[in-house]
Amino acid sequence: MRVNCYLRTVTVALFLTSAQASCPHEDPALLKWSEPSTWPNNQVPSLGDDVYVSGDVLLDVSPPELRSVNVEAGATLVWSPNGDYHVTTKFIHVKGAFHIGSETCPFEANARITLTGDRKEYSMPNFGAKFIGVDNGATLEIHGRKKLGWTKLEQTVPRLNKTNGLVYTSLDVGRRQNREGLGMYVFNPDGTLFRLEILSTSSKMIGDADLIINKVINFLTGTPDGKVILIAVQHTLVTRPQTHDLSKIFDAIETVAGIANGDSKIRDVGPLDAYALATVMGDPSSTCESMSHMSHLKQTATASVNVGDLTMIATSRTKAISAKWNDLIEFQVVEKSASSIILNLIDDVTTWKEGDRLLLTSTDYDMEKAEETTVLGCNECTDKQVKVSLLPKFMHFGEIDTNIDMRGEVALLSRNIIIEGAVNSFCPSVNENCKTYNYDTFGGHIKAIKGFVNMHIEGAELRNMGKQTDLGNYPIHFHMCEDVDGDDYPNPPYIRENAIHHTFARCLTIHGTHGVMVMDNVAYESIGHCYFLEDGGEKRTVFDGNLGANTRPGSLIPLDRRPTTFWITNPQTTFRNNVAAGSMGLGIWFIFPDLPLGPSADKGFMKMFEARYTAITEFTNNVAHSNKNGLFIDDRIDLVTEEIDSCNRYEPKEDPSDRSSADKNVIIDRLTAYNNRDNAWLRGGYITLSKASLGGSLTSMLFARNSRQEQFMEKSVIVGETRNTGDPTRANGKDGWKNFPRSIPNTNNYNFPLQGFGFYDGPVFISDSFFDKYTDNEVRKAGAIGFKRFNSASSSTLSGAANIHFGFPDGLSGNRAYDGNSSVFGFGDLDGDLAATFRDNDGSVTTIPGSTVVKPFSFVTTPDCIMKSAWNLMICPYKYMTLRCQDTSPAKTDMRVIFIRDDLPDSPWHSTESHFRAYPLIGGGKYSYSIYWPEKAPSEFMLIPKDLEKGHPVRVGVCLPLDATINLKSWYPKRAVGLSQWTEVDSVQDIDDDTVGGQYYRNRTSGMLYVKLFTNEVRKEGDTNPCAGNKCMVIKVYVNATDMSTDHCRERDIPTPPAKRSVSTKRGTDNLSFDTYYNGPEPDWGAGSTVPFTSRDAIDGGYGTWSQWGSCRTDLTSVRTRTCNDPIPRNGGASCSGPRTETMDCAPQSPQPPTDEHNVMPVVPGGLVDGDLQL
C-alpha cells in the first residue's frame, strides 16, 4: 500500500532560524505522524506500507514494520524526542530532509532504525537495497546525545588470575575441546568442582544420539540440590540440518532450572549461536540464562549465579568461521568482589551511563585480546572512573613507558541513535558467499550521492551494516559527490563521534568525494579495509581522532586480503590523532595509484603521477598497535588489475606538476607504534620521522628508498621489550613448543630476532634517538641497530647515525648493534646482507667517531677493523663508497660484473642478484679494485660512484678487450667529454697521484683501464646527498673491438694494490669501552602522551540541565542528576565543577521539586515546603 502525507497548501518556513529555534522538532508547522489527519483518507501508515512523506511530518510514534519510507523533494521528516521510537523498514529514501536532532539541539531520546530485506529481494536505482539513501537535493541530519567516544586507561587492568579473585577456570584443564555440543559443570557451594561432562549434540558429531541424550538427562537430573549447574554451548549446539531431536535435553534443562516448559532460550538456539545457563539446583529463583544469535563473526553468552562470597560463571563463545581453539567454553569460579572492576581513565566519562557497552582494545600483539563489557552503576566512582562487569581474560596495559604511550583505549560502543541492518541467523544461499562466510553478511548501508545538500552524522551507533555480498554498500558511503567543501557547502559534511561496529564491509567509505571531515569515531569488528578512500582521487579528507580496532580480511576486492584499518590512497589527506588498534593486516597504509581508479579515473581529480610527487598534507600524533604491520608507506595500486604493485616511487615535490621543482619534506610527526610484528616501514623520498615512539616489535623501523631523496629519523625512542609484558604465552620454534612469561611478537616462531632500527637502501640517517631493552635471550638474538635481513639489494654507505643514546651498558645488558648470518635464525648471507654498512658519525654507537660498522666479510674488512663479537659486526676506520658498473650499450645486457679487491685476488665478488648493483668499496686510497666481465665487455658502460668523500679516493681498473679502442666522457671533477680531453698517464701510480681528474692509464698488454674515483668537494654539515656538494662523478666508457671477449683478463694483469698489507687471519679483540648509558630519553624525544590532543584547544566541561526529580525513595529522599556534557570536557580541559546529583526530602505520595535549582528546599511532611504560606 502506498501512503502519502498531505502537502501543505499554505507556504511555511521549513524551520525557524537559529535565533528563533534550534531544535527541528519545535517547528510548529510539523504534522504528527500519529494523527490520521496527516495522511490521505485519515489512515496512519500500516504494516508493509510504502510511505511517501510529501509535507513536513513529525515522527512521534513507532510505526508497524514498513516496506519503505520516502521523503520527497521539498518535504521534511523530523524524529520527535518525546519518546523512544523505532522504525523498521526495508529502506529510507531521502530526497527532501530527514532530521534526528541538530547540531545545536542534540537528540536526547532513543531512536532506532532497522533496515530489513534479503539480497535480490528488490533493488532501487542508485541505492540498491536495505539503505538510507541521501539523494540529489537531500539533507540528512543525525545528531545523537553528546557522549565521549573513547579515552585511555590511566592504570593497567590485570588479567583475572588466582592472585586477584580467580578461584577456578576450566581452561586450566582443557577437556574435550573438539566436541560440538553442551559443556556441563557442577560445582559445590564452596567453589570446588563436583563433576563435569562435555558431550556432542550436533548431528555432525553426535554419534549414538539416544546414548548422548540420556547422558545429558541423567547428568542434569541426577545433580543433588544445592549444587551449582553451569551449562554452555561449545562451538555449536546443532547443525543445519539437525537430524536429531534434542527436545528431551531441553525438557531436562527446563526442569533443573525451574523454567516453564517450552520457555527456555535454548529451544531457540541455532547453528553457531552462543548459549549459557547458571542455576542452583533446587532454587529456580537463581536461574540465569543468556543467548546470542549468530549475527557476526563471534558470539558470546554469559550466565552467572552468586553463592555466598563466590560467583560462578558459564561462558559460551562461538565463531562463525570456526577455529576451535579460539572459541572454547569456559566455566569459572571467582570471588564475588572480582566480578566487577573499576577502570581508571584519563578523561571525564560521566556521559557513560549504566548499561552502556564498552570496548577495551588489545594492548598486546593479538587483536583478539580486545574485550567488551557493560557499564554498571557506581556511586563511589570519580568523574574519571567507571565500573564495569568484566572478568578480564587479558591484561590491558595502562602506562606510558619510556615516552611510549601504551595506555589501552576504552571506547563507547553504545549510542542513543541506532541504525542497524536486520540479519538472518544463517547465511542465505542467495548471498552467494556462504562458502567464505557461513553467516549473513547482507547488512544495511547509508549512501549519499552527488548533489546532496547536507549530510552530518554524529552520535549514532551503526551495527550490522555494510554488505560483503556486493561492491558499493558500506555502513557510511559518500559516492562520487566531488567537492563538498566549497561555496555550495558552508557547513561541509562530517561523520563524527559515532560508533560503527560489527560491520560486514568497511566502516566508512569516501569515494570520489573531496572535503569530508571524519572525526572522533569508533570503529570495531569490520571486514575489509575500515576507513577507506576508494579510488585515490579523494582529496582534502580530514581524519582526526578516530579509533579503529579488529579489522579482518574481506573478499570484495583483492586488496581486502590485507585488511587495513586506515586505507589512505591520496596524499592530500590530513591525518592526525588517529589510533589503529588491531588488524589482521595493517594499521595505517598510505598507498597511492598513479591515477585515480574506477569511475574517478576520468574526472580530472588527479593527473597521472601527481600523487607520486605530492606531499602528505599532515601526519601528526597517530598510533598503531596490535597489527601485523603498524604504519606502512609503500606500494602502488596497478591501474589495470587494481592489485598491489610493489614500490611506490614516492618523491614529493614543492610543485607536484614539476618534477624539477624543489624536494618537499614529508614529516611523519609523533608516530606511536607498539606491539605490532613490525612497527613501521616507510618507502619514498624526502621523509622525516620525527619524535616517534616505537616499541615491542620484531623490527621497529625500516626506511626503504626508491628516489634520490634522503630519509631521516630524529628525536625518537625505540624500545625492544617494554614493560607492557602482556600475558604468559605458549609459542613454537626450532626447539618445539615453549612457555614464555610474557607475550612475544611471533608465536609461530619465537626465534625471530629483535631489532630496533634497520639500515636499508639509503642514504638514511638517524640522530638524537634513544634505544633500550635489546638483550639476547636463550631463543633469539637482539640488537638496537642493524640491517634489513635477507637483503638482496645494494645499500648506501653514506647512511649513518649520530647522537644515539642507549639505556643500557653494551654487553650483557644489551647490544647496541647486531646482525647475524645464515648460521643464526632470521638472518641470511645474500649480497645485500654482506654489503650492509652504516657510519657512526660521532662515535655515539662505536665510541670511534667517523668509523663504519660492517659485516665480517673479507671484501669490506681489513686488519685495521675491530671485531665486535657480541654484535657479529666489525668497526672499521674507513669511509666507504659504492660503485655501480652499468651496461648502457644498445643491447643493455644484464651482465653481472666481477669485483676483486686487489689485495685479495683470490676472493672475487660476483653477485647474480637482480637488485644488487652497487658494491661497497673502501675509500682513502689504500685499497684498489679491479672489475671483470664474465664473458664479454659491453660496447658502452658507466662507472657511477656514490658517497665519495674528499680525501677518500678509490682507484679502479676495468678489464677491456686487448685490441679495443676506447672513448671516455666525464663531467666532474674535470669536464672531459671525449678522449682528446683526457690525459693518458704511464702507470697506476700516476693514477693514484691524480688530483684534478680526466686521467687514465691503459695496460695494453693486459687490456686493463685504470681511473681514479674521487671528489674535491668538502661535505658540509647537513649535506646528505650521495654526491657531496651535489656534484656527481660519472665516467662513461665506449669500447670498440673485433673481439669483445675478456675471458683471460685476470691472468694477464694482477695490479699492485696501493696498500701492501698481508691479510690478517685474526680479526681483533673486543677492546673498546661501551659503558656509557642513559637513564631515559631526552624530554622532547619520542611522541610521549598521545592524549589529550595537542592539536586541539582544551575545552572545560559544563553541566547540562538537571533531570526531573526521581520518585520518592524508601529513605524519603528524591534525587536528580545532571551530566557533564554541555560541553564535554576535552583535550585536557577541566571537569565540571559542582555536584552531579542533588537530593531533597520528599513525601511518599508525590515529591514537589523546587523551582530554583540552586536553592534546594527540603520538603516537610504533608508536601509543604519550608517557607510556604499556609492558609
Side-chain angles (χ1 to χ4, degrees), residues 453-480:
V453 175
N454 277 301
M455 180 163 161
H456 305 101
I457 303 176
E458 61 179 335
E461 176 183 352
L462 282 73
R463 62 195 187 198
N464 291 346
M465 299 289 279
K467 297 175 175 62
Q468 193 61 216
T469 54
D470 305 276
L471 283 171
N473 301 275
Y474 313 117
I476 300 177
H477 181 194
F478 291 88
H479 180 72
M480 303 306 297

PDB file of all heavy atoms in Angstrom, residues 453-480:
ATOM      1  N   VAL A 453      22.464  18.103  -0.279  1.00  0.00           N
ATOM      2  CA  VAL A 453      22.595  19.454   0.282  1.00  0.00           C
ATOM      3  C   VAL A 453      23.391  19.434   1.580  1.00  0.00           C
ATOM      4  O   VAL A 453      24.322  20.208   1.773  1.00  0.00           O
ATOM      5  CB  VAL A 453      21.200  20.071   0.503  1.00  0.00           C
ATOM      6  CG1 VAL A 453      21.315  21.424   1.204  1.00  0.00           C
ATOM      7  CG2 VAL A 453      20.473  20.227  -0.824  1.00  0.00           C
ATOM      8  N   ASN A 454      23.025  18.560   2.480  1.00  0.00           N
ATOM      9  CA  ASN A 454      23.726  18.453   3.759  1.00  0.00           C
ATOM     10  C   ASN A 454      23.725  16.998   4.208  1.00  0.00           C
ATOM     11  O   ASN A 454      22.730  16.278   4.019  1.00  0.00           O
ATOM     12  CB  ASN A 454      23.057  19.308   4.844  1.00  0.00           C
ATOM     13  CG  ASN A 454      23.496  20.748   4.795  1.00  0.00           C
ATOM     14  OD1 ASN A 454      24.683  21.050   4.913  1.00  0.00           O
ATOM     15  ND2 ASN A 454      22.543  21.657   4.606  1.00  0.00           N
ATOM     16  N   MET A 455      24.817  16.609   4.837  1.00  0.00           N
ATOM     17  CA  MET A 455      24.870  15.288   5.462  1.00  0.00           C
ATOM     18  C   MET A 455      25.815  15.373   6.646  1.00  0.00           C
ATOM     19  O   MET A 455      27.027  15.571   6.501  1.00  0.00           O
ATOM     20  CB  MET A 455      25.330  14.210   4.484  1.00  0.00           C
ATOM     21  CG  MET A 455      25.393  12.819   5.123  1.00  0.00           C
ATOM     22  SD  MET A 455      25.453  11.526   3.877  1.00  0.00           S
ATOM     23  CE  MET A 455      26.077  10.153   4.821  1.00  0.00           C
ATOM     24  N   HIS A 456      25.246  15.253   7.817  1.00  0.00           N
ATOM     25  CA  HIS A 456      26.012  15.282   9.059  1.00  0.00           C
ATOM     26  C   HIS A 456      25.503  14.169   9.960  1.00  0.00           C
ATOM     27  O   HIS A 456      24.302  14.098  10.233  1.00  0.00           O
ATOM     28  CB  HIS A 456      25.876  16.636   9.765  1.00  0.00           C
ATOM     29  CG  HIS A 456      26.252  17.806   8.901  1.00  0.00           C
ATOM     30  ND1 HIS A 456      25.304  18.607   8.280  1.00  0.00           N
ATOM     31  CD2 HIS A 456      27.464  18.287   8.544  1.00  0.00           C
ATOM     32  CE1 HIS A 456      25.926  19.548   7.582  1.00  0.00           C
ATOM     33  NE2 HIS A 456      27.244  19.375   7.727  1.00  0.00           N
ATOM     34  N   ILE A 457      26.389  13.307  10.370  1.00  0.00           N
ATOM     35  CA  ILE A 457      26.014  12.196  11.246  1.00  0.00           C
ATOM     36  C   ILE A 457      26.942  12.220  12.450  1.00  0.00           C
ATOM     37  O   ILE A 457      28.168  12.118  12.296  1.00  0.00           O
ATOM     38  CB  ILE A 457      26.109  10.836  10.521  1.00  0.00           C
ATOM     39  CG1 ILE A 457      25.238  10.826   9.267  1.00  0.00           C
ATOM     40  CG2 ILE A 457      25.720   9.702  11.447  1.00  0.00           C
ATOM     41  CD1 ILE A 457      25.366   9.541   8.446  1.00  0.00           C
ATOM     42  N   GLU A 458      26.372  12.367  13.620  1.00  0.00           N
ATOM     43  CA  GLU A 458      27.170  12.350  14.845  1.00  0.00           C
ATOM     44  C   GLU A 458      26.357  11.712  15.964  1.00  0.00           C
ATOM     45  O   GLU A 458      25.132  11.807  16.007  1.00  0.00           O
ATOM     46  CB  GLU A 458      27.608  13.762  15.236  1.00  0.00           C
ATOM     47  CG  GLU A 458      26.480  14.736  15.516  1.00  0.00           C
ATOM     48  CD  GLU A 458      26.969  16.119  15.925  1.00  0.00           C
ATOM     49  OE1 GLU A 458      28.093  16.234  16.450  1.00  0.00           O
ATOM     50  OE2 GLU A 458      26.213  17.090  15.716  1.00  0.00           O
ATOM     51  N   GLY A 459      27.067  11.047  16.837  1.00  0.00           N
ATOM     52  CA  GLY A 459      26.411  10.467  17.999  1.00  0.00           C
ATOM     53  C   GLY A 459      25.495   9.307  17.688  1.00  0.00           C
ATOM     54  O   GLY A 459      24.553   9.045  18.423  1.00  0.00           O
ATOM     55  N   ALA A 460      25.774   8.577  16.601  1.00  0.00           N
ATOM     56  CA  ALA A 460      24.936   7.437  16.222  1.00  0.00           C
ATOM     57  C   ALA A 460      25.719   6.136  16.386  1.00  0.00           C
ATOM     58  O   ALA A 460      26.953   6.119  16.356  1.00  0.00           O
ATOM     59  CB  ALA A 460      24.448   7.578  14.787  1.00  0.00           C
ATOM     60  N   GLU A 461      24.986   5.060  16.542  1.00  0.00           N
ATOM     61  CA  GLU A 461      25.561   3.723  16.602  1.00  0.00           C
ATOM     62  C   GLU A 461      25.103   2.956  15.365  1.00  0.00           C
ATOM     63  O   GLU A 461      23.901   2.812  15.118  1.00  0.00           O
ATOM     64  CB  GLU A 461      25.114   2.999  17.870  1.00  0.00           C
ATOM     65  CG  GLU A 461      25.588   1.560  17.974  1.00  0.00           C
ATOM     66  CD  GLU A 461      25.058   0.849  19.207  1.00  0.00           C
ATOM     67  OE1 GLU A 461      24.442   1.526  20.083  1.00  0.00           O
ATOM     68  OE2 GLU A 461      25.235  -0.380  19.314  1.00  0.00           O
ATOM     69  N   LEU A 462      26.055   2.470  14.588  1.00  0.00           N
ATOM     70  CA  LEU A 462      25.763   1.691  13.400  1.00  0.00           C
ATOM     71  C   LEU A 462      26.281   0.275  13.613  1.00  0.00           C
ATOM     72  O   LEU A 462      27.458   0.088  13.948  1.00  0.00           O
ATOM     73  CB  LEU A 462      26.420   2.297  12.157  1.00  0.00           C
ATOM     74  CG  LEU A 462      25.755   3.524  11.534  1.00  0.00           C
ATOM     75  CD1 LEU A 462      25.974   4.768  12.400  1.00  0.00           C
ATOM     76  CD2 LEU A 462      26.301   3.778  10.130  1.00  0.00           C
ATOM     77  N   ARG A 463      25.424  -0.697  13.417  1.00  0.00           N
ATOM     78  CA  ARG A 463      25.833  -2.089  13.600  1.00  0.00           C
ATOM     79  C   ARG A 463      25.159  -2.953  12.544  1.00  0.00           C
ATOM     80  O   ARG A 463      24.090  -2.621  12.036  1.00  0.00           O
ATOM     81  CB  ARG A 463      25.501  -2.572  15.001  1.00  0.00           C
ATOM     82  CG  ARG A 463      24.012  -2.564  15.344  1.00  0.00           C
ATOM     83  CD  ARG A 463      23.800  -2.695  16.837  1.00  0.00           C
ATOM     84  NE  ARG A 463      22.382  -2.862  17.175  1.00  0.00           N
ATOM     85  CZ  ARG A 463      21.872  -2.669  18.385  1.00  0.00           C
ATOM     86  NH1 ARG A 463      22.667  -2.308  19.393  1.00  0.00           N
ATOM     87  NH2 ARG A 463      20.584  -2.851  18.615  1.00  0.00           N
ATOM     88  N   ASN A 464      25.807  -4.062  12.218  1.00  0.00           N
ATOM     89  CA  ASN A 464      25.318  -4.940  11.164  1.00  0.00           C
ATOM     90  C   ASN A 464      25.065  -4.177   9.862  1.00  0.00           C
ATOM     91  O   ASN A 464      24.072  -4.385   9.173  1.00  0.00           O
ATOM     92  CB  ASN A 464      24.035  -5.664  11.589  1.00  0.00           C
ATOM     93  CG  ASN A 464      24.273  -6.694  12.684  1.00  0.00           C
ATOM     94  OD1 ASN A 464      25.415  -7.063  12.957  1.00  0.00           O
ATOM     95  ND2 ASN A 464      23.218  -7.134  13.318  1.00  0.00           N
ATOM     96  N   MET A 465      26.001  -3.319   9.546  1.00  0.00           N
ATOM     97  CA  MET A 465      25.891  -2.508   8.333  1.00  0.00           C
ATOM     98  C   MET A 465      26.968  -2.936   7.333  1.00  0.00           C
ATOM     99  O   MET A 465      27.990  -3.516   7.685  1.00  0.00           O
ATOM    100  CB  MET A 465      26.029  -1.027   8.679  1.00  0.00           C
ATOM    101  CG  MET A 465      24.958  -0.502   9.627  1.00  0.00           C
ATOM    102  SD  MET A 465      23.329  -0.381   8.864  1.00  0.00           S
ATOM    103  CE  MET A 465      23.507   1.179   7.987  1.00  0.00           C
ATOM    104  N   GLY A 466      26.742  -2.595   6.078  1.00  0.00           N
ATOM    105  CA  GLY A 466      27.644  -2.987   5.012  1.00  0.00           C
ATOM    106  C   GLY A 466      27.272  -4.347   4.451  1.00  0.00           C
ATOM    107  O   GLY A 466      26.590  -5.149   5.095  1.00  0.00           O
ATOM    108  N   LYS A 467      27.720  -4.596   3.231  1.00  0.00           N
ATOM    109  CA  LYS A 467      27.387  -5.849   2.539  1.00  0.00           C
ATOM    110  C   LYS A 467      28.656  -6.460   1.966  1.00  0.00           C
ATOM    111  O   LYS A 467      29.277  -5.887   1.074  1.00  0.00           O
ATOM    112  CB  LYS A 467      26.368  -5.583   1.429  1.00  0.00           C
ATOM    113  CG  LYS A 467      25.027  -5.051   1.915  1.00  0.00           C
ATOM    114  CD  LYS A 467      24.127  -4.691   0.750  1.00  0.00           C
ATOM    115  CE  LYS A 467      22.733  -4.279   1.205  1.00  0.00           C
ATOM    116  NZ  LYS A 467      22.744  -3.067   2.065  1.00  0.00           N
ATOM    117  N   GLN A 468      29.015  -7.652   2.459  1.00  0.00           N
ATOM    118  CA  GLN A 468      30.153  -8.367   1.907  1.00  0.00           C
ATOM    119  C   GLN A 468      29.756  -9.119   0.636  1.00  0.00           C
ATOM    120  O   GLN A 468      30.568  -9.781   0.011  1.00  0.00           O
ATOM    121  CB  GLN A 468      30.714  -9.324   2.954  1.00  0.00           C
ATOM    122  CG  GLN A 468      32.075  -9.902   2.651  1.00  0.00           C
ATOM    123  CD  GLN A 468      33.175  -8.863   2.528  1.00  0.00           C
ATOM    124  OE1 GLN A 468      34.088  -9.013   1.715  1.00  0.00           O
ATOM    125  NE2 GLN A 468      33.086  -7.799   3.306  1.00  0.00           N
ATOM    126  N   THR A 469      28.513  -8.953   0.232  1.00  0.00           N
ATOM    127  CA  THR A 469      27.999  -9.654  -0.942  1.00  0.00           C
ATOM    128  C   THR A 469      28.203  -8.883  -2.233  1.00  0.00           C
ATOM    129  O   THR A 469      28.276  -9.484  -3.308  1.00  0.00           O
ATOM    130  CB  THR A 469      26.496  -9.915  -0.769  1.00  0.00           C
ATOM    131  OG1 THR A 469      25.836  -8.666  -0.492  1.00  0.00           O
ATOM    132  CG2 THR A 469      26.246 -10.863   0.391  1.00  0.00           C
ATOM    133  N   ASP A 470      28.263  -7.552  -2.161  1.00  0.00           N
ATOM    134  CA  ASP A 470      28.273  -6.727  -3.368  1.00  0.00           C
ATOM    135  C   ASP A 470      29.086  -5.470  -3.111  1.00  0.00           C
ATOM    136  O   ASP A 470      29.063  -4.899  -2.013  1.00  0.00           O
ATOM    137  CB  ASP A 470      26.846  -6.322  -3.756  1.00  0.00           C
ATOM    138  CG  ASP A 470      25.922  -7.516  -3.913  1.00  0.00           C
ATOM    139  OD1 ASP A 470      25.909  -8.109  -4.992  1.00  0.00           O
ATOM    140  OD2 ASP A 470      25.232  -7.855  -2.925  1.00  0.00           O
ATOM    141  N   LEU A 471      29.766  -5.000  -4.136  1.00  0.00           N
ATOM    142  CA  LEU A 471      30.502  -3.752  -4.035  1.00  0.00           C
ATOM    143  C   LEU A 471      29.556  -2.566  -3.858  1.00  0.00           C
ATOM    144  O   LEU A 471      28.409  -2.589  -4.303  1.00  0.00           O
ATOM    145  CB  LEU A 471      31.341  -3.530  -5.294  1.00  0.00           C
ATOM    146  CG  LEU A 471      32.634  -4.338  -5.425  1.00  0.00           C
ATOM    147  CD1 LEU A 471      33.207  -4.164  -6.826  1.00  0.00           C
ATOM    148  CD2 LEU A 471      33.654  -3.884  -4.379  1.00  0.00           C
ATOM    149  N   GLY A 472      30.061  -1.538  -3.190  1.00  0.00           N
ATOM    150  CA  GLY A 472      29.343  -0.268  -3.141  1.00  0.00           C
ATOM    151  C   GLY A 472      28.318  -0.131  -2.043  1.00  0.00           C
ATOM    152  O   GLY A 472      27.516   0.804  -2.081  1.00  0.00           O
ATOM    153  N   ASN A 473      28.333  -1.017  -1.050  1.00  0.00           N
ATOM    154  CA  ASN A 473      27.342  -0.964   0.022  1.00  0.00           C
ATOM    155  C   ASN A 473      28.063  -0.978   1.363  1.00  0.00           C
ATOM    156  O   ASN A 473      28.410  -2.044   1.889  1.00  0.00           O
ATOM    157  CB  ASN A 473      26.391  -2.161  -0.077  1.00  0.00           C
ATOM    158  CG  ASN A 473      25.662  -2.218  -1.405  1.00  0.00           C
ATOM    159  OD1 ASN A 473      24.627  -1.591  -1.589  1.00  0.00           O
ATOM    160  ND2 ASN A 473      26.209  -2.973  -2.350  1.00  0.00           N
ATOM    161  N   TYR A 474      28.272   0.194   1.925  1.00  0.00           N
ATOM    162  CA  TYR A 474      29.106   0.338   3.110  1.00  0.00           C
ATOM    163  C   TYR A 474      28.320   1.038   4.219  1.00  0.00           C
ATOM    164  O   TYR A 474      27.334   1.734   3.937  1.00  0.00           O
ATOM    165  CB  TYR A 474      30.377   1.118   2.758  1.00  0.00           C
ATOM    166  CG  TYR A 474      31.036   0.612   1.493  1.00  0.00           C
ATOM    167  CD1 TYR A 474      31.159   1.425   0.372  1.00  0.00           C
ATOM    168  CD2 TYR A 474      31.504  -0.704   1.410  1.00  0.00           C
ATOM    169  CE1 TYR A 474      31.744   0.954  -0.792  1.00  0.00           C
ATOM    170  CE2 TYR A 474      32.090  -1.178   0.252  1.00  0.00           C
ATOM    171  CZ  TYR A 474      32.206  -0.347  -0.854  1.00  0.00           C
ATOM    172  OH  TYR A 474      32.772  -0.820  -2.007  1.00  0.00           O
ATOM    173  N   PRO A 475      28.718   0.883   5.460  1.00  0.00           N
ATOM    174  CA  PRO A 475      27.969   1.500   6.562  1.00  0.00           C
ATOM    175  C   PRO A 475      27.660   2.975   6.319  1.00  0.00           C
ATOM    176  O   PRO A 475      26.527   3.415   6.465  1.00  0.00           O
ATOM    177  CB  PRO A 475      28.882   1.288   7.760  1.00  0.00           C
ATOM    178  CG  PRO A 475      29.601   0.016   7.450  1.00  0.00           C
ATOM    179  CD  PRO A 475      29.843   0.058   5.969  1.00  0.00           C
ATOM    180  N   ILE A 476      28.686   3.736   5.950  1.00  0.00           N
ATOM    181  CA  ILE A 476      28.506   5.130   5.529  1.00  0.00           C
ATOM    182  C   ILE A 476      29.324   5.316   4.270  1.00  0.00           C
ATOM    183  O   ILE A 476      30.513   4.974   4.235  1.00  0.00           O
ATOM    184  CB  ILE A 476      28.942   6.125   6.623  1.00  0.00           C
ATOM    185  CG1 ILE A 476      28.118   5.918   7.892  1.00  0.00           C
ATOM    186  CG2 ILE A 476      28.804   7.561   6.122  1.00  0.00           C
ATOM    187  CD1 ILE A 476      28.545   6.810   9.048  1.00  0.00           C
ATOM    188  N   HIS A 477      28.718   5.877   3.232  1.00  0.00           N
ATOM    189  CA  HIS A 477      29.337   5.884   1.910  1.00  0.00           C
ATOM    190  C   HIS A 477      29.027   7.205   1.198  1.00  0.00           C
ATOM    191  O   HIS A 477      27.868   7.497   0.909  1.00  0.00           O
ATOM    192  CB  HIS A 477      28.778   4.701   1.119  1.00  0.00           C
ATOM    193  CG  HIS A 477      29.327   4.551  -0.265  1.00  0.00           C
ATOM    194  ND1 HIS A 477      28.737   3.723  -1.210  1.00  0.00           N
ATOM    195  CD2 HIS A 477      30.401   5.093  -0.886  1.00  0.00           C
ATOM    196  CE1 HIS A 477      29.426   3.779  -2.332  1.00  0.00           C
ATOM    197  NE2 HIS A 477      30.445   4.613  -2.162  1.00  0.00           N
ATOM    198  N   PHE A 478      30.072   7.993   0.947  1.00  0.00           N
ATOM    199  CA  PHE A 478      29.951   9.156   0.065  1.00  0.00           C
ATOM    200  C   PHE A 478      30.365   8.703  -1.327  1.00  0.00           C
ATOM    201  O   PHE A 478      31.532   8.357  -1.554  1.00  0.00           O
ATOM    202  CB  PHE A 478      30.862  10.296   0.536  1.00  0.00           C
ATOM    203  CG  PHE A 478      30.435  10.937   1.821  1.00  0.00           C
ATOM    204  CD1 PHE A 478      30.872  10.435   3.047  1.00  0.00           C
ATOM    205  CD2 PHE A 478      29.595  12.034   1.826  1.00  0.00           C
ATOM    206  CE1 PHE A 478      30.485  11.029   4.235  1.00  0.00           C
ATOM    207  CE2 PHE A 478      29.202  12.642   3.012  1.00  0.00           C
ATOM    208  CZ  PHE A 478      29.648  12.126   4.221  1.00  0.00           C
ATOM    209  N   HIS A 479      29.419   8.699  -2.270  1.00  0.00           N
ATOM    210  CA  HIS A 479      29.675   8.124  -3.586  1.00  0.00           C
ATOM    211  C   HIS A 479      29.711   9.195  -4.671  1.00  0.00           C
ATOM    212  O   HIS A 479      28.682   9.791  -5.020  1.00  0.00           O
ATOM    213  CB  HIS A 479      28.603   7.091  -3.930  1.00  0.00           C
ATOM    214  CG  HIS A 479      28.800   6.452  -5.279  1.00  0.00           C
ATOM    215  ND1 HIS A 479      29.796   5.545  -5.526  1.00  0.00           N
ATOM    216  CD2 HIS A 479      28.122   6.612  -6.444  1.00  0.00           C
ATOM    217  CE1 HIS A 479      29.737   5.166  -6.789  1.00  0.00           C
ATOM    218  NE2 HIS A 479      28.739   5.803  -7.382  1.00  0.00           N
ATOM    219  N   MET A 480      30.923   9.456  -5.172  1.00  0.00           N
ATOM    220  CA  MET A 480      31.132  10.331  -6.323  1.00  0.00           C
ATOM    221  C   MET A 480      30.437  11.673  -6.148  1.00  0.00           C
ATOM    222  O   MET A 480      29.797  12.200  -7.058  1.00  0.00           O
ATOM    223  CB  MET A 480      30.665   9.644  -7.606  1.00  0.00           C
ATOM    224  CG  MET A 480      31.341   8.307  -7.894  1.00  0.00           C
ATOM    225  SD  MET A 480      33.150   8.402  -7.911  1.00  0.00           S
ATOM    226  CE  MET A 480      33.436   9.491  -9.279  1.00  0.00           C
TER     227      MET A 480
END
